Amino acid sequence: MENIKFDKNGLIPAIIQDCKSGQVLMLAYMNEESYGKTLDTGYTWFYSRSRQELWNKGATSGNTQRVEEISYDCDGDTLLIRVEQLGPACHTGEKSCFFNKVTQRKSKTLGEVLWTLDSILKDRKENPVEGSYTTYLYEQGVDKILKKIGEESAEVIIAAKNPDKSELIYEASDLMYHLLVLLREQGVELEEIKDQLTGRMK
């Protein structure tokens, strides 16, 4: 607490970030009491400047934020809180409060693409869409998904023997997609894969 600098109103801004995707979810303010309750409970608590009272994120909506990590910046006057977000972070129903785009780069990182695709696959599994190939795979079940992974694996091997790199890129993308479908079907989270791969970075 001694390294945290609250402003003249006793507040400090807290940037909330999704621990999985890295997406910035929201900005809120904490005072000493809400900061302490966040540390004690492991879930985010904030101070409402308009209502002048503490509030626990998700207490009424169920869209809670379980704290994974808290950092402060070089000046000690801003917090960065990485959370596991349950449901949307924004009261509008959007995943992040920062959904109004001013500018946007065309490309995303591989990590961003994988997390976004995994979210779409989860939604397709929970909310089937008629005519969707992903919905079709989930309706056919794990045997169909495994068959597709076998086929795509063979196609990756064949593509790797050919001089055209674009074919390998295409087939590898197909394989990764179907593998993500399988992981979602089996209830395996990307976070678990990340943890496993992190342990191999030696």
Side-chain angles (χ1 to χ4, degrees):
M1 183 75 76
E2 64 273 9
N3 295 321
I4 305 300
K5 299 177 183 177
F6 296 90
D7 66 17
K8 61 182 180 180
N9 297 313
L11 301 176
I12 186 171
I15 300 167
I16 311 302
Q17 181 184 38
D18 190 302
C19 67
K20 296 178 180 178
S21 67
Q23 183 180 24
V24 174
L25 300 176
M26 56 182 284
L27 171 68
Y29 288 83
M30 291 182 169
N31 60 9
E32 287 193 19
E33 184 179 0
S34 63
Y35 177 67
K37 290 179 76 68
T38 298
L39 293 177
D40 290 341
T41 64
Y43 287 85
T44 54
W45 283 77
F46 304 108
Y47 180 80
S48 171
R49 294 175 297 169
S50 59
R51 301 191 306 271
Q52 296 189 338
E53 64 181 15
L54 300 186
W55 61 284
N56 175 212
K57 177 64 176 176
T60 55
S61 66
N63 300 325
T64 58
Q65 295 173 342
R66 185 168 65 85
V67 176
E68 292 291 328
E69 180 181 86
I70 299 178
S71 306
Y72 55 86
D73 71 346
C74 54
D75 294 321
D77 58 6
T78 304
L79 297 174
L80 175 63
I81 304 179
R82 300 179 69 247
V83 303
E84 181 180 348
Q85 175 71 49
L86 178 63
C90 184
H91 72 282
T92 64
E94 294 286 342
K95 174 68 173 178
S96 166
C97 293
F98 298 96
F99 59 87
N100 296 299
K101 306 296 183 185
V102 178
T103 61
Q104 183 177 11
R105 60 186 169 87
K106 294 181 179 179
S107 62
K108 295 185 177 182
T109 66
L110 176 59
E112 290 172 332
V113 171
L114 290 177
W115 288 114
T116 301
L117 179 55
D118 184 59
S119 296
I120 294 172
L121 296 179
K122 181 178 181 181
D123 183 67
R124 286 291 184 272
K125 184 171 175 60
E126 296 175 351
N127 305 289
V129 175
E130 185 176 355
S132 165
Y133 176 65
T134 302
T135 296
Y136 163 76
L137 288 175
Y138 286 133
E139 289 176 343
Q140 293 298 305
V142 68
D143 287 343
K144 178 65 175 180
I145 298 171
L146 291 173
K147 181 180 178 182
K148 288 300 299 181
I149 288 178
E151 292 172 357
E152 299 301 340
S153 298
E155 290 175 3
V156 166
I157 293 171
I158 294 171
K161 300 291 289 184
N162 294 328
D164 186 0
K165 188 172 71 171
S166 63
E167 184 179 352
L168 176 58
I169 293 171
Y170 182 86
E171 299 299 347
S173 298
D174 268 356
L175 177 59
M176 292 180 71
Y177 161 77
H178 286 92
L179 180 57
L180 287 173
V181 170
L182 175 64
L183 294 176
R184 179 52 57 192
E185 169 68 18
Q186 298 294 91
V188 177
E189 299 291 338
L190 283 184
E191 188 77 9
E192 297 176 278
I193 301 298
K194 185 199 76 174
D195 291 342
Q196 185 66 225
L197 291 174
T198 299
R200 302 184 186 189
M201 295 172 61
K202 299 178 180 179

